[in-house]
Amino acid sequence: MSAAQKVPVVVLGAGVVGLTTALRIQTEGKYDVAIVAETLPTDPKSIRYTSQWAGAHHVYSGTDPTTFQHKLELETFKKLWEMSAPGSDSEECFLRIEESEYFHEISSAETTPLKDMPDFKVLPQESLVPGAKSGATFQTVCIDSPVYLNYLLSQFLAKGGKIARGSLQHIHQIIEGGANLFNATLGPSGQPPAAVLNCTGLGARFLGGVEDKTVYPVRGQTVLVRAPWVRFGRTLYVDGTGAFTYIIPRRSGDVIVGGTRGRDDWHAEPRPETTRDILARGLALCPELAPAEVRTQRTPAIEDVLPIVVGEGCGLRPCREGGVRIETEWTEGVGKRGKVPVIHNYGHGGAGFQASWATADIALQLLEEALASLE
C-alpha cells in the first residue's frame, strides 16, 4: 500500500506511551503515522521529558489483581518478556533479573499481584531485610530507558513513520493543519489526519482542547551508580504512604537507586540533601552497591559510594486522578473538517513502561472502531 493510500494519523507525544502507540499503529501497514512532539529521545535529558528518567523495572502497581491497571501491566509484561529474550533484536534494551520485594505488612507477600510473575516465591522471615514484615522474589525485566526509547524510535522510523518536532497550543491546530505545520517535508504523512492520538502525558493538563486538570505531577529523584557487579533488584516499601527504596540494575552496568514521590512538586533540579538520603537508604537495602574491596574490610558508608555516582536526576510522573484515560473523544467543525476522533492515552503515572503495550493495543482498537464508524 503506497503512502498516498494509507490513512494519515498523528500521535502527540514521544514518551514511552507515544512511541509505543505510534509503533504499534504504524506496524499495521495501513496507517501513515506522524509523531508530533516537542522533545525526543535523542535530546539531552531534561525535566520536560519524563520517560528518560525512568528506572525502569516491571513490577505490578497496587495490591488488587482484579483492576484494569493490573490487566494492562500483565499484558505488557508478556510483550516485554518476549522482547527481552536472548537473541531478540531488542535484547540489549533489557536485563532479566531476580527481583526481591519487601513489604511493610505481613499479608502483602501472600496477596500481591506479583504472584503472576515468573518463579514467584514467598521469602522466609529469616531472609527479610530490616523493616520488612514479608517479602517475595520473582523474575522480571529491567529496562535501560534511554536505550529502549531510542530503540522504539528507530523501529518506528524503519517502518516508515515520520517525526515532526513542534509545540502545540491547542489540539485543533493539528486537526486542521496536520503535522506539516511543523515539518513541511512530510508529504502525505503531514496532511490533516483522519485521527489524533493524544499521548501527551503531563502535557494533557495544559494542551488547549484537553486541559485535563485531574493530571498532576509526582516528582521522583534518582541516583545513577556505576556498579556492574549488582545484577539483582530490590525494593522496600516502607509504609502505607507509598514511600519506597529501590535498586534497579541496567544491562550497561549502571544501577538506578531511588526513590521519592512528591505530589505537585515541580522542582526541576536534583536536591543534594535528597541525593544523600537516597544513597543512605539504598546502601542500607543493598550494601552490595559499595565495591567489594570496601565490603571485605568494613561496613560501607555513603562516602564509599559517592566516587561511583555517575549521575543524578529527577522526573515528573504524569499521574491522573482516576488513573489512565484511554477513550475516544470526537471533534467536529474544526476549520472545514467534519468529525475527527481524538483517542486519549495518558495518565499512566509511574507505570508508563509497564502498561505501554497494552494501552497501545487498546488505542489501536479504538482508532479502528472510530474510523469504521465514519465509513
Side-chain angles (χ1 to χ4, degrees):
M1 185 181 293
S2 69
Q5 296 172 308
K6 293 181 180 181
V7 179
V9 171
V10 165
V11 173
L12 300 179
V16 66
V17 174
L19 289 169
T20 308
T21 301
L23 175 57
R24 180 68 185 88
I25 295 170
Q26 185 68 26
T27 301
E28 287 296 290
K30 57 185 177 182
Y31 299 102
D32 195 8
V33 183
I35 293 175
V36 175
E38 182 178 354
T39 312
L40 300 171
T42 50
D43 294 343
K45 288 183 176 181
S46 79
I47 195 69
R48 300 183 65 83
Y49 188 77
T50 299
S51 292
Q52 289 228 25
W53 296 111
H57 58 182
H58 196 291
V59 294
Y60 293 129
S61 303
T63 59
D64 185 353
T66 66
T67 62
F68 176 62
Q69 181 65 36
H70 180 65
K71 180 181 178 182
L72 296 176
E73 295 176 5
L74 187 64
E75 292 303 311
T76 298
F77 178 75
K78 294 175 184 177
K79 176 68 174 180
L80 295 177
W81 191 253
E82 174 187 320
M83 293 178 72
S84 67
S88 71
D89 67 352
S90 51
E91 180 187 6
E92 295 300 316
C93 303
F94 302 95
L95 176 67
R96 289 186 175 186
I97 63 162
E98 180 177 81
E99 169 76 7
S100 298
E101 300 263 307
Y102 303 98
F103 308 103
H104 65 281
E105 294 179 346
I106 294 176
S107 62
S108 293
E110 298 288 348
T111 60
T112 174
L114 295 168
K115 292 174 74 173
D116 290 327
M117 300 296 278
D119 299 331
F120 175 88
K121 299 181 185 68
V122 175
L123 286 169
Q125 287 291 311
E126 60 269 21
S127 298
L128 301 180
V129 299
K133 294 183 179 179
S134 64
T137 66
F138 51 90
Q139 296 292 312
T140 190
V141 292
C142 294
I143 306 166
D144 192 328
S145 304
V147 175
Y148 180 64
L149 293 166
N150 280 286
Y151 169 82
L152 293 175
L153 178 60
S154 66
Q155 289 293 300
F156 172 70
L157 294 172
K159 294 182 184 300
K162 307 294 193 304
I163 294 287
R165 188 187 294 271
S167 178
L168 290 179
Q169 281 73 51
H170 200 288
I171 201 166
H172 286 181
Q173 291 175 271
I174 209 73
I175 292 173
E176 184 174 2
N180 278 332
L181 285 175
F182 304 101
N183 186 344
T185 68
L186 296 181
S189 305
Q191 64 184 296
V196 176
L197 289 101
N198 174 24
C199 305
T200 53
L202 196 59
R205 181 179 176 90
F206 308 103
L207 179 61
V210 181
E211 296 172 284
D212 187 343
K213 299 308 179 186
T214 66
V215 173
Y216 61 93
V218 172
R219 183 181 180 275
Q221 184 168 324
T222 58
V223 183
L224 190 65
V225 176
R226 184 65 181 170
W229 52 87
V230 175
R231 304 309 259 181
F232 53 82
R234 290 178 187 160
T235 302
L236 172 63
Y237 300 94
V238 181
D239 52 38
T241 66
F244 62 156
T245 301
Y246 54 77
I247 307 295
I248 305 175
R250 288 177 171 174
R251 192 180 189 92
S252 65
D254 292 338
V255 179
I256 296 286
V257 186
T260 66
R261 297 183 192 270
R263 177 165 177 163
D264 294 319
D265 183 351
W266 294 86
H267 189 59
E269 297 294 331
R271 296 184 174 103
E273 66 275 17
T274 303
T275 293
R276 289 193 65 88
D277 175 64
I278 289 170
L279 287 176
R281 288 187 284 120
L283 196 56
L285 177 61
C286 182
E288 297 92 332
L289 281 174
E293 57 268 26
V294 173
R295 289 183 275 118
T296 55
Q297 298 179 28
R298 54 183 167 77
T299 301
I302 293 177
E303 285 67 29
D304 298 313
V305 179
L306 287 175
I308 55 173
V309 169
V310 293
E312 52 186 319
C314 51
L316 303 177
R317 302 178 183 95
C319 295
R320 180 176 179 270
E321 300 285 354
V324 176
R325 183 187 184 189
I326 182 156
E327 63 183 358
T328 304
E329 180 180 9
W330 289 92
T331 64
E332 190 168 6
V334 178
K336 297 181 180 179
R337 303 293 307 277
K339 294 178 68 177
V340 177
V342 175
I343 292 105
H344 298 288
N345 184 10
Y346 65 85
H348 294 68
F353 282 80
Q354 62 199 53
S356 55
W357 283 99
T359 54
D361 283 340
I362 296 172
L364 173 61
Q365 179 183 349
L366 293 175
L367 171 65
E368 295 190 329
E369 289 173 354
L371 296 181
S373 72
L374 293 173
E375 294 178 354

